[in-house]
Amino acid sequence: MALPEGLLVFRSKPDSLVGLDIGSTSVKLMELSKRDGRLTLESCGIEPVPPRAAPETHARASGTHISDAEGVGEAIKRLARRTRPGTRRAAVAIGGTAALTKVIEMDASLSDEEMESEIALQASDHLPYPAEAAAIDFEVLHLSERDPTRVEVLFAACRRDDAELLEDAVELGGLKARVLDIEAFALARAFELLQPDFGSHAAIFDIGASSTTLSVLNGDKLVHTREQASGGRMLTEEIQRHHGISATESARVTTRVEPPDEPIFSQFRNGLLDQMARALQFFYSANPSGRVDQVYLAGGVAAVPNLSGHAARVLGVPVAVADPFGGMTVPASTDTPDLAENAPAFMLACGLALRAFEP
């Protein structure tokens, strides 16, 4: 089965890329360069998408699904016009249950071409939908500990129509989708900027509009990921109704009002923290010897005042708000307060932009 040209999780990528995070409420873009080993922020920005143009829908079991490619494309076009990235090539991501990954074993003597042919033949054994409907990629990891004549291979797949909808929206926005990544992998890549030398389990909760994803890493290895149907949309919608303001104004309020002054915040926070605690407990149950020593919060809701402090008390571990810009060189013309306020929302876009520097 031929892989969709340019939409590859693991294969070679262009020399320059922008990270483009297409979410259910906004599109985020980030462009990075590297000088003398230090990352420099070249451009970044956020643009809202039309309501329900890219809804997160668990009923469809496919993460964020683009239902209005033209509306999302127009948002990308506005964002690109405003941020003026130096390249039109973009890395995008697919996540949730839309992305399927699995480690399989194969004969170590096979070439990449032979592995691709073999995986295409065996794809139906690993997929919950017809193999002809899938976009597939793979990466050789290492020799099997069980049998040195075999290698462990990371198999990745998604529905071809989901990949094509992403590609269409990006092209309508004037960019070219050159890499399709998996959200959990991209977040893990950005995670290394926060704590590059961690040697124990660390976790990141990425709080989206309708879902929250827990990713756990041991060193630089992603060992666990789990998505739950709890996100920030219910908070912004409740604030919108309570104050009679627009959705954009409501999103700003969530990061600027002290939770103790708003019962709405308390109710949302308690429900979210309960979901987070259950997600961590699920990881502990499946990994009795694994203990998380540090938690980071990502996504727009992560900037809610005092959320990290409450989370630390509930989860029983140190909790910090993710800031991918912390170790970067930032242009003097950048609106620093605005960048700091939105920093946790850029984690996925950052991880995608970092694809440009992988060997």
Side-chain angles (χ1 to χ4, degrees), residues 40-108:
T40 297
L41 178 66
E42 296 293 343
S43 61
C44 72
I46 301 178
E47 183 71 25
V49 298
R52 312 214 183 289
E56 288 176 334
T57 166
H58 292 270
R60 194 173 172 278
S62 61
T64 300
H65 170 66
I66 294 178
S67 57
D68 178 6
E70 186 173 343
V72 174
E74 285 299 319
I76 294 172
K77 187 180 295 184
R78 291 192 298 272
L79 180 58
R81 189 181 299 126
R82 181 158 47 84
T83 56
R84 310 182 85 172
T87 180
R88 312 306 285 180
R89 303 180 184 95
V92 294
I94 198 159
T97 51
L100 183 149
T101 61
K102 187 174 183 178
V103 176
I104 60 177
E105 285 193 0
M106 301 190 73
D107 189 331

Side-chain angles (χ1 to χ4, degrees), residues 24 37 45 56 98 142 152 160 169 205 213 226-227 230 238 248 257 275 291 353:
S24 61
E56 288 176 334
H142 45 68
E152 291 190 352
R160 186 177 292 272
F205 281 98
T213 301
R226 180 175 174 84
E227 181 181 355
S230 177
E238 185 60 28
T248 301
V257 177
Q275 292 275 354
R291 299 298 301 178

Side-chain angles (χ1 to χ4, degrees), residues 92-293:
V92 294
I94 198 159
T97 51
L100 183 149
T101 61
K102 187 174 183 178
V103 176
I104 60 177
E105 285 193 0
M106 301 190 73
D107 189 331
S109 66
L110 295 176
S111 66
D112 282 353
E113 291 77 14
E114 290 170 330
M115 283 188 180
E116 182 173 331
S117 298
E118 185 67 21
I119 285 173
L121 291 172
Q122 298 180 11
S124 58
D125 297 335
H126 309 297
L127 296 170
Y129 42 79
E132 57 270 18
I136 299 168
D137 201 5
F138 69 94
E139 180 180 40
V140 178
L141 300 177
H142 45 68
L143 287 174
S144 168
E145 295 181 3
R146 184 186 60 82
D147 183 351
T149 68
R150 299 179 70 78
V151 289
E152 291 190 352
V153 176
L154 181 58
F155 167 88
C158 69
R159 287 186 178 272
R160 186 177 292 272
D161 57 356
D162 283 339
E164 290 173 349
L165 280 167
L166 273 172
E167 186 177 26
D168 289 346
V170 173
E171 289 193 354
L172 286 168
L175 304 180
K176 179 69 176 178
R178 298 301 299 160
V179 172
L180 174 63
D181 210 335
I182 291 173
E183 288 184 5
F185 295 167
L187 281 171
R189 197 176 301 117
F191 201 22
E192 295 182 22
L193 297 181
L194 307 179
Q195 197 172 337
D197 299 318
F198 58 81
S200 56
H201 288 99
I204 184 164
F205 281 98
D206 184 28
I207 309 168
S210 301
S211 64
T212 297
T213 301
L214 166 65
S215 299
V216 181
L217 292 95
N218 185 10
D220 60 355
K221 183 180 179 182
L222 181 66
V223 297
H224 177 83
T225 182
R226 180 175 174 84
E227 181 181 355
Q228 292 181 296
S230 177
R233 178 179 280 122
M234 63 181 74
L235 174 61
T236 54
E237 289 180 348
E238 185 60 28
I239 290 173
Q240 186 179 354
R241 284 192 294 269
H242 183 75
H243 292 285
I245 57 180
S246 69
T248 301
E249 291 172 320
S250 175
R252 293 196 186 103
V253 168
T254 62
T255 60
R256 293 177 182 171
V257 177
E258 289 293 326
D261 298 331
E262 278 283 4
I264 296 170
F265 279 94
S266 297
Q267 183 177 356
F268 167 78
R269 183 190 64 227
N270 293 341
L272 177 64
L273 294 179
D274 184 56
Q275 292 275 354
M276 290 165 63
R278 284 206 292 268
L280 266 186
Q281 190 55 52
F282 184 89
F283 167 71
Y284 292 146
S285 298
N287 302 269
S289 61
R291 299 298 301 178
V292 169
D293 302 307

Side-chain angles (χ1 to χ4, degrees), residues 21 28-32 38-41 44 186-196 204 206 296-300 302 320-330 338-354:
D21 171 12
K28 291 164 279 287
L29 179 149
M30 183 186 291
E31 181 184 20
L32 301 173
R38 184 179 176 87
L39 290 171
T40 297
L41 178 66
C44 72
L187 281 171
R189 197 176 301 117
F191 201 22
E192 295 182 22
L193 297 181
L194 307 179
Q195 197 172 337
I204 184 164
D206 184 28
Y296 290 92
L297 304 181
V321 176
D323 179 7
F325 303 112
M328 294 182 189
T329 299
V330 178
D338 184 65
L339 194 68
E341 181 178 306
N342 290 294
F346 276 97
M347 281 292 289
L348 180 54
C350 179
L352 292 169
L354 287 170

